Amino acid sequence: MTHLPPPAEELRLLDAELWQLDARRAQLLTRRAWLVAALHQTQQPRAHASAQPPAAPPRPETAAPSVQNVLLVLGGVLLTLAAAVFTLVSWGHMGIAGRALVLGAVTLATLAAPAALLKRGLRSTAESVAGLGLALTVLDAYALHAAALSGTDGTGYAAAASAVLAATWSAYGLLPAMSALRLPLPSALVAAQFPLLLWALAAGASPYVITAALLVTAGLDAVVVGRLTAGAVRIIAVVGAYGMGGWGVLGAAWLSLTADGPGDASRAGALLLLAAAIALGASWRGPGGKHALGLAITSGLLVVGALGGVARPGMPSEWVVPAHLAVGIALLAAVRIERLPDAMRMGFAWASGAVQALAVLWTLPVVAVVLLGPAGRLGRVWSGAPSDARAAVVVEAPWPPDAAVAPLVLVAVAAVLALVVRAEQWRGRARIGSLGLLWATALILPAVFEVPYLAGMLVLGVMTAAALYMCRVTASAAQVTALVLALVTAVSLTLVSLASQSATLVALSVLTALFAAASWRAGVAPFTAPAALVFAAALASASGAAAGWPPARTALPVLLVPAAAALLAARLGASRATVPVEAVGAALGLFAVALAVTDPPMLALVLALCGVIAAGTALRAERRPVGYAATALFVLAAWVRLAAWDVGTPEAYTLPVTVPALLVGALRRRRDPQASSWTAYGPGLAATLVPSLVAAWADPHWTRPLLLGIAALLVTLLGARYHLRAPLVLGGSVLALVTLHELAPYVVQVTGALPRWAPPALAGLLLLALGATYEQRIRDVRRVREVLGRMN
């Protein structure tokens, strides 16, 4: 009997067989796809060789909608031009009335056509026809004036026509059948820009009325902008609001500036307030952001200009700026109103800040004269003490007009910065700015009130001391500000004191003491210590001049300051003030040299003293290289002294260089036996041997060549004894050249005594001998080179 498995087992077996069949089928299909691809790749080159593929059709450069729009626009323009020619010129024997009737009928038909076109979905065509219809309405208005209203005023008729056209186009664009058209409403808004302005011009109104018409038009545009969120109408309204509003604001500002009396100023101020209200309303109803912020700033500035302009005719000229500043500060009250939008409050704050900044700029000429005016005394030193503080600063520049209220302006702005600004990110900067404004106030007060000369100097001295005392604060920005103010005030005090000899000496003494005392703080020492040295040098120069000393003699007390700087730098060690102190000391040393340059004996003494200071500095381990500068200064001092004694022997100038150079070279060789003799002894030997050799060749006597030859022989023997290359080469070369110089006359005599054929014959024999022993000479040269190479 046949064995039949259970149904479940049989179902499992069938599923297994079907899975194997599916797997085999998938394998065969994959193989088939690969074979098809391989056959396609082998047949593709043949197909390319037999026939080229058809070229791709050219791509159109312009899209169909663009072509359609261009054609529609051109068609509308041509029809409009034809209608204008028909209306303005003539058509057959038809009069202006007949042409107006024909044009009116064509206009009605043209304005009705877009409705049918929109129903058929031809929107672009409808827009073009609608534009033609709007242009025809303008021609209708002209035809009406020419046919029936030719006696009316042209400007008044244009105002009425623009108003009627604006209303007509608005109604036309708002019709349900025409609501899809985008051209009528923007065109109506453009036409609405002119009625008020043209009516004012037609009525012969005053500039105030014309300006009011511009501002009212701008206000209506702003209303439209506030009611819309996007679209062409809003863009036209924005352009109209800014255009008309800008011209209106310029006109109102000009009227305010040129107002002669309170009435004219009040009317101009009312116009500016109207413009401010329009800008404020636009900022309130606007979407916010930078646009609203800019409108709020403009509104605040217009309020300041309006109220300040109203008050201007009734007050003296010097109080005009404080009046505007008071209104600008009053704007800050609006910043505290929580119900106002943030953009509006921020705009008022920026407007107030702009007004205060302009007020501070107005005071800058006064501050500049007080600071820079005393510089004119540099050419009039000690010409006599002036009568008051203003005369001390007004040397060549005139005193600015209306400067009496400049301190009040500066104090008011400083108070606002110190008391009103409370934001943490701006509070520190505001206080620093307040400090600077208070300093400027104290600076100009003596000149503004014409206090006595000595009292003005006392004020400057107290300001310098106060600024240096404020350098004790830890905040870096405040410390830098106080330091800058102290330096500027000190320079101003120095320039003012140049008018009197006693004032100069006292001021420089006080400044030196103040800056020296302030240098005990490490934070400001890199700046105050060099400043103290500079003032000390100036005091030394002024003291010498007061004593009647010549400049060369004044260099000696000036040198005390570089000496003090060297001692101070040694005591400071690794402090940040060390390098500035040393740099200023070096510069003051050069200044002393410049003072003594006209007196050679004194110049030699000054150079020697500078060398002593440099040598003392070189004793410090970290300043060893300064020793080279000290050596150079000593040598220069010796040379200047020799030149002052009219010494013309070159050895007198070179030996003071050679001896120290050879000593330094010997010390270096002792510390470093591997050091090259060229480095150790070459510069010192060459400093004397080369100038002496040049002098010996030009010397007709025998003494110098003999002494130079003996010295060169000794140097050569010492080089050979100690195997030193530099002495051997330099000494041998100089000895050979000196010998050649001494034997040259005898060689010339012998040459003159020989027959003329003898020199060529001797030269030929010499060349033959050299050629025959060439290899031996090469070996000798190599041997000499090896011997020299083994030397140091």
Side-chain angles (χ1 to χ4, degrees):
M1 292 180 65
T2 303
H3 174 70
L4 294 176
E9 181 66 19
E10 186 177 3
L11 180 60
R12 186 186 64 79
L13 293 174
L14 291 176
D15 289 340
E17 291 291 339
L18 291 174
W19 181 84
Q20 292 178 0
L21 291 175
D22 290 339
R24 181 60 177 169
R25 176 181 173 82
Q27 182 180 3
L28 294 176
L29 288 175
T30 303
R31 179 63 179 174
R32 181 182 182 279
W34 182 87
L35 293 174
V36 170
L39 290 174
H40 180 70
Q41 290 179 358
T42 56
Q43 293 176 359
Q44 189 174 4
R46 299 178 184 177
H48 280 291
S50 60
Q52 294 293 334
R59 189 183 62 178
E61 295 184 358
T62 353
S66 300
V67 176
Q68 178 188 7
N69 292 334
V70 170
L71 294 177
L72 291 173
V73 170
L74 288 177
V77 169
L78 291 176
L79 289 174
T80 304
L81 291 175
V85 172
F86 170 78
T87 305
L88 300 176
V89 182
S90 136
W91 183 62
H93 302 286
M94 187 178 295
I96 185 62
R99 280 179 280 163
L101 292 176
V102 172
L103 194 60
V106 174
T107 301
L108 292 177
T110 305
L111 292 176
L117 294 173
L118 289 174
K119 290 180 180 180
R120 294 177 175 271
L122 303 175
R123 181 172 179 176
S124 298
T125 308
E127 292 283 358
S128 180
V129 174
L132 176 61
L134 298 180
L136 290 176
T137 57
V138 178
L139 294 176
D140 288 335
Y142 170 78
L144 179 61
H145 179 266
L149 302 174
S150 57
T152 59
D153 178 59
T155 307
Y157 179 79
S162 59
V164 172
L165 288 176
T168 303
W169 292 349
S170 300
Y172 179 72
L174 294 175
L175 290 175
M178 305 297 178
S179 58
L181 295 176
R182 292 177 294 182
L183 191 58
L185 292 180
S187 301
L189 189 57
V190 171
Q193 306 300 312
F194 303 103
L196 293 179
L197 177 61
L198 293 176
W199 273 330
L201 293 175
S206 64
Y208 297 94
V209 177
I210 296 175
T211 305
L214 291 172
L215 293 176
V216 170
T217 304
L220 296 176
D221 290 332
V223 172
V224 175
V225 172
R227 295 179 63 88
L228 300 176
T229 57
V233 178
R234 190 176 191 276
I235 295 175
I236 297 296
V238 169
V239 173
Y242 279 112
M244 292 294 183
W247 284 109
V249 168
L250 289 177
W254 176 255
L255 293 174
S256 177
L257 290 175
T258 57
D260 296 330
D264 294 340
S266 300
R267 286 191 290 270
L271 292 175
L272 289 174
L273 288 177
L274 175 61
I278 293 171
L280 188 62
S283 173
W284 188 298
R285 298 177 61 88
K290 296 182 179 180
H291 186 73
L293 178 62
L295 289 173
I297 295 174
T298 304
S299 176
L301 294 177
L302 290 174
V303 169
V304 173
L307 299 181
V310 169
R312 182 178 57 84
M315 62 178 59
S317 59
E318 63 266 17
W319 289 97
V320 173
V321 173
H324 287 79
L325 177 62
V327 179
I329 295 175
L331 279 179
L332 294 175
V335 180
R336 304 296 180 186
I337 302 176
E338 299 292 339
R339 293 178 297 176
L340 294 178
D342 293 339
M344 190 176 297
R345 295 164 58 196
M346 185 64 66
F348 285 155
W350 278 101
S352 177
V355 173
Q356 296 176 58
L358 292 175
V360 172
L361 286 178
W362 177 77
T363 64
L364 284 185
V366 184
V367 179
V369 169
V370 173
L371 277 179
L372 305 178
R377 296 195 177 274
L378 292 174
R380 310 176 187 179
V381 178
W382 297 348
S383 58
S387 59
D388 52 51
R390 181 180 298 183
V393 299
V394 181
V395 181
E396 297 178 355
W399 183 251
D402 301 335
V405 296
L408 176 62
V409 171
L410 294 173
V411 169
V413 178
V416 171
L417 291 177
L419 302 176
V420 177
V421 180
R422 299 180 180 179
E424 291 297 331
Q425 61 211 14
W426 295 101
R427 189 173 182 83
R429 301 175 188 176
R431 289 184 174 180
I432 293 175
S434 176
L435 173 64
L437 293 175
L438 291 177
W439 169 83
T441 304
L443 183 69
I444 66 175
L445 271 177
V448 170
F449 292 109
E450 297 181 284
V451 302
Y453 172 65
L454 295 180
M457 290 188 58
L458 180 61
V459 170
L460 291 177
V462 171
M463 289 174 60
T464 305
L468 290 174
Y469 181 78
M470 291 182 62
C471 292
R472 300 176 58 185
V473 298
T474 57
S476 58
Q479 189 179 75
V480 170
T481 303
L483 181 61
V484 171
L485 295 181
L487 292 173
V488 173
T489 311
V491 173
S492 178
L493 175 59
T494 303
L495 293 176
V496 171
S497 68
L498 293 179
S500 171
Q501 176 179 314
S502 58
T504 302
L505 297 176
V506 172
L508 291 176
S509 302
V510 171
L511 291 176
T512 302
L514 287 177
F515 279 90
S519 301
W520 288 101
R521 291 194 58 83
V524 296
F527 305 96
T528 55
L533 294 176
V534 171
F535 287 121
L539 176 61
S541 302
S543 300
W549 292 354
R553 189 176 179 184
T554 306
L556 293 178
V558 171
L559 273 181
L560 296 175
V561 180
L567 296 175
L568 179 61
R571 184 173 181 81
L572 290 175
S575 172
R576 291 192 301 121
T578 303
V579 174
V581 166
E582 291 176 336
V584 172
L588 294 176
L590 293 177
F591 174 66
V593 172
L595 289 175
V597 74
T598 57
D599 188 352
M602 186 61 68
L603 178 60
L605 177 59
V606 171
L607 288 172
L609 293 176
C610 288
V612 172
I613 297 173
T617 303
L619 295 177
R620 294 158 51 194
E622 69 276 10
R623 294 292 184 265
R624 297 296 187 204
V626 182
Y628 297 108
T631 304
L633 289 171
F634 285 130
V635 171
L636 287 175
W639 286 356
V640 172
R641 173 55 66 181
L642 291 173
W645 288 339
D646 295 330
V647 176
T649 304
E651 288 78 10
Y653 295 90
T654 57
L655 286 176
V657 179
T658 296
V659 173
L662 293 178
L663 291 177
V664 173
L667 291 175
R668 181 173 182 182
R669 288 273 298 169
R670 178 175 295 182
R671 294 181 180 179
D672 184 12
Q674 301 300 323
S676 172
S677 62
W678 286 107
T679 305
Y681 304 114
L685 294 174
T688 294
L689 292 178
V690 174
S692 298
L693 178 62
V694 174
W697 273 63
D699 194 349
H701 304 287
W702 58 271
T703 307
R704 187 189 301 275
L706 177 61
L707 295 176
L708 180 60
I710 294 173
L713 178 61
L714 291 176
V715 170
T716 304
L717 294 177
L718 289 174
R721 169 67 180 81
Y722 294 102
H723 300 282
L724 298 176
R725 187 185 308 171
L728 182 61
V729 173
L730 290 175
S733 301
V734 172
L735 181 61
L737 291 174
V738 171
T739 304
L740 178 62
H741 175 265
E742 294 302 314
L743 294 179
Y746 304 101
V747 172
V748 171
Q749 293 177 2
V750 171
T751 305
L754 291 176
R756 294 188 176 183
W757 53 267
L762 292 175
L765 291 176
L766 180 61
L767 291 177
L768 289 176
L770 289 176
T773 60
Y774 179 74
E775 295 182 356
Q776 182 63 33
R777 302 285 80 77
I778 292 296
R779 286 195 293 270
D780 293 342
V781 171
R782 290 175 179 173
R783 191 177 298 112
V784 171
R785 187 176 64 182
E786 292 174 357
V787 171
L788 291 175
R790 288 194 295 270
M791 293 182 179
N792 289 318

